[in-house]
Amino acid sequence: MRVVWQLVAVSAVAFVGGQAVAAVQGNWFLTLVLGLLTSAAAVAVYGWVVRRTEHRPSTEVWRDGARTAFGRGALIGVAAFACVIANIALLGDYTVHGAGSVTGAVGLVGFMAAAAATEELLFRGVLFRIVEERTGTWIALTSTGVLFGMMHLLNKDATLWGALAIAVEAGGMLGAAYAATRTLWLPIGLHFGWNWAESAVFGTEVSGSGAQRGLLDASTSGSQLVTGGEFGPEASLYSVLLGILVTLAFLRLARRRGHLVPRRGRDTAAGSVATLPR
């Protein structure tokens, strides 16, 4: 039952916060404030429900080292997406038409922070962590990655290829980031940095949910395999390849730190994971 309580608690915050942010759409300041409040509330509620249902400290969201881990993740996310855009631009398929909106980019800080925090708490904090206890890291990485990708089929301009790309590049990369560090702050930062760069800096589509007005007024054109088409650059082959490379780097780090959990019996797996540094 713990997985149900944890999913319900975090989902409730995500729903209420999402409705609040949607209600003030167009107001950059309120979007910023409500988005940040939603992300903070989601982390607090997650920590509380984990302590209540698992009777342990919620070390994966401890404040100690949170700023550093989040900052590193955000930098990796921004740099990774900048590499994707740079490769698309080198082929002449990304064009900047002029300046965009500074206030729009600031408002997207709140919007993307709320999305990153709630999604990482649900998919890596609850689902990946608990599935990993029962089945090991590899099955958890695959199953939650696929589920994360399929969730994006609900977006406006979703495609099956886009969902599969998200499953590989994001589901794998973010799950591996948690496995390597045993803190949710780094995958939250990575998720935020990637999405914020994609929307607020480079002004492109985010997972088929529509283009956002950021610092640059830009557009993509050309082959869908290169640009991702209407789904956005996350459906680009460049994103998939880069996501795989980052995933492998995190998995190598997780292996070196002894954080990979092998497939084993239910009781053994649960006990083994409990001893891992978080």
Side-chain angles (χ1 to χ4, degrees), residues 233-251:
E234 284 170 325
S236 166
L237 281 178
Y238 285 120
S239 291
V240 175
L241 293 174
L242 188 140
I244 291 173
L245 290 175
V246 177
T247 298
L248 292 175
F250 276 126
L251 288 175

Side-chain angles (χ1 to χ4, degrees), residues 179-198:
T181 61
R182 296 296 159 179
T183 174
L184 287 169
W185 291 112
L186 193 136
I188 289 174
L190 176 53
H191 193 154
F192 167 79
W194 176 286
N195 280 4
W196 189 76
E198 188 173 16

Side-chain angles (χ1 to χ4, degrees), residues 67-230:
R67 187 175 301 177
T68 299
F70 178 88
R72 285 176 180 170
L75 286 175
I76 294 171
V78 171
F81 188 78
C83 288
V84 172
I85 282 294
N87 279 283
I88 295 175
L90 285 173
L91 295 178
D93 292 334
Y94 174 77
T95 305
V96 177
H97 306 292
S101 168
V102 174
T103 55
V106 173
L108 284 168
V109 169
F111 185 89
M112 293 305 172
T118 54
E119 290 181 12
E120 290 312 300
L121 292 169
L122 288 169
F123 282 90
R124 261 57 67 178
V126 180
L127 294 177
F128 177 88
R129 181 175 57 81
I130 293 177
V131 171
E132 185 186 43
E133 290 179 7
R134 300 291 185 262
T135 65
T137 301
W138 298 109
I139 292 178
L141 197 65
T142 303
S143 59
T144 59
V146 169
L147 183 60
F148 187 63
M150 294 305 101
M151 181 194 72
H152 288 78
L153 285 173
L154 300 175
N155 291 353
K156 177 184 175 183
D157 295 317
T159 64
L160 181 58
W161 162 246
L164 291 173
I166 289 287
V168 173
E169 73 203 26
M173 180 168 60
L174 296 167
Y178 172 71
T181 61
R182 296 296 159 179
T183 174
L184 287 169
W185 291 112
L186 193 136
I188 289 174
L190 176 53
H191 193 154
F192 167 79
W194 176 286
N195 280 4
W196 189 76
E198 188 173 16
S199 57
V201 177
F202 297 105
T204 56
E205 295 268 351
V206 180
S207 309
S209 58
Q212 304 289 339
R213 187 164 173 76
L215 295 175
L216 298 176
D217 177 16
S219 63
T220 58
S221 60
S223 170
Q224 290 191 9
L225 287 177
V226 173
T227 66
E230 293 184 353

